[in-house]
Amino acid sequence: MAAKAKAKKASPKVKVAAKAKPKPVARTPAKTDGEWPPTSISEAKVKEATGRGWMGWFVILNLMEATSIPHKEVAKRLKEQHGAPSWWAQMIAVEYERARGGRKKNERAGGTYAVNVTKVMPVSLSKLFAAVTSKRKDWFPPGAFEETSKTKDKYWRGKWKSGRKLEFGFYAKGDGKAQIALEIGKLPSPVEVEQERAAWKKAMEKLSVLLT
């Protein structure tokens, strides 16, 4: 007796839609040696000065692949391609490097350290610049200063004490207000960072009294 062959039903072909490739996501920097968000400069300050908060800048830096680019080039791109003021371009790049674990707090290229102090004053930009640069002896903390360059209402740079760099940036804030932002570079240790920070915060208060 011949065996009846069972007809095999052909399985229907099911079309599986190809999964869309996920778009690259700009991730929040991992918490390594740095801090996220940065605590050295508040979200409000960076947004007021640059038009973007920390997240906005970190997204730009992630997409730029800034960890593979030299620091100077990163700061240059932030300024020229994204409109960050010079001083802020430097600070944003530094904070990004810290958050990515590339630098210690206040550390700069070459293993030296720097400190930054900012303050908004209730005077116009031109008046602030004039007072800062012409009445130095009335508000500077003790120390030798040698001017190296000056651009009216923008920058003032010089040598500070022994082998350190001192730079001031000036920014209009509207409504009769202006900001002074200083950075002292080439400090040898974190201890001197805090000493200079304390000295310049007191100096800023003296400058504020001098302007009122």
Side-chain angles (χ1 to χ4, degrees):
M1 186 173 178
K4 292 181 180 180
K6 293 182 179 180
K8 293 182 179 181
K9 294 182 179 180
S11 300
K13 293 182 179 181
V14 179
K15 291 184 178 180
V16 179
K19 293 182 179 179
K21 292 182 179 180
K23 294 181 180 180
V25 177
R27 297 177 182 176
T28 298
K31 287 187 177 180
T32 52
D33 293 336
E35 301 165 310
W36 174 255
T39 57
S40 58
I41 303 176
S42 71
E43 173 78 5
K45 279 188 177 181
V46 73
K47 192 168 186 178
E48 179 186 7
T50 68
R52 290 186 177 91
W54 282 119
M55 178 59 78
W57 285 114
F58 274 66
V59 166
I60 287 172
L61 288 160
N62 279 343
L63 296 178
M64 189 193 296
E65 298 184 348
T67 53
S68 63
I69 303 171
H71 171 83
K72 286 185 178 179
E73 179 63 22
V74 172
K76 182 180 177 182
R77 292 189 190 184
L78 289 176
K79 179 184 177 181
E80 295 181 354
Q81 298 177 13
H82 302 283
S86 296
W87 186 86
W88 284 98
Q90 292 287 340
M91 287 305 301
I92 292 164
V94 166
E95 291 296 347
Y96 181 81
E97 290 163 2
R98 281 186 53 214
R100 284 301 195 190
R103 294 189 186 187
K104 296 177 183 178
K105 186 175 182 180
N106 300 308
E107 188 179 8
R108 299 292 188 267
T112 59
Y113 294 81
V115 61
N116 299 274
V117 180
T118 66
K119 190 172 180 62
V120 174
M121 301 291 185
V123 295
S124 66
L125 178 61
S126 58
K127 186 175 180 179
L128 175 61
F129 184 85
V132 168
T133 56
S134 66
K135 299 180 180 180
R136 172 169 59 88
K137 293 181 180 180
D138 295 331
W139 72 277
F140 260 44
F145 175 74
E146 180 185 343
E147 181 183 298
T148 57
S149 64
K150 181 166 60 176
T151 302
K152 188 177 184 298
D153 296 344
K154 290 185 177 181
Y155 302 105
W156 190 33
R157 301 181 177 98
K159 297 176 182 178
W160 175 243
K161 295 183 178 178
S162 55
R164 301 169 187 177
K165 290 175 65 178
L166 177 57
E167 178 176 342
F168 297 89
F170 301 85
Y171 308 93
K173 289 298 176 181
D175 299 325
K177 294 181 181 179
Q179 182 186 51
I180 177 174
L182 72 84
E183 177 174 299
I184 305 171
K186 294 191 174 182
L187 298 172
S189 70
V191 173
E192 293 206 30
V193 166
E194 297 310 317
Q195 290 174 345
E196 291 287 358
R197 191 195 309 278
W200 282 97
K201 280 188 174 181
K202 288 182 180 179
M204 288 288 195
E205 293 303 322
K206 289 177 70 175
L207 176 61
S208 181
V209 172
L210 184 65
L211 289 165
T212 55

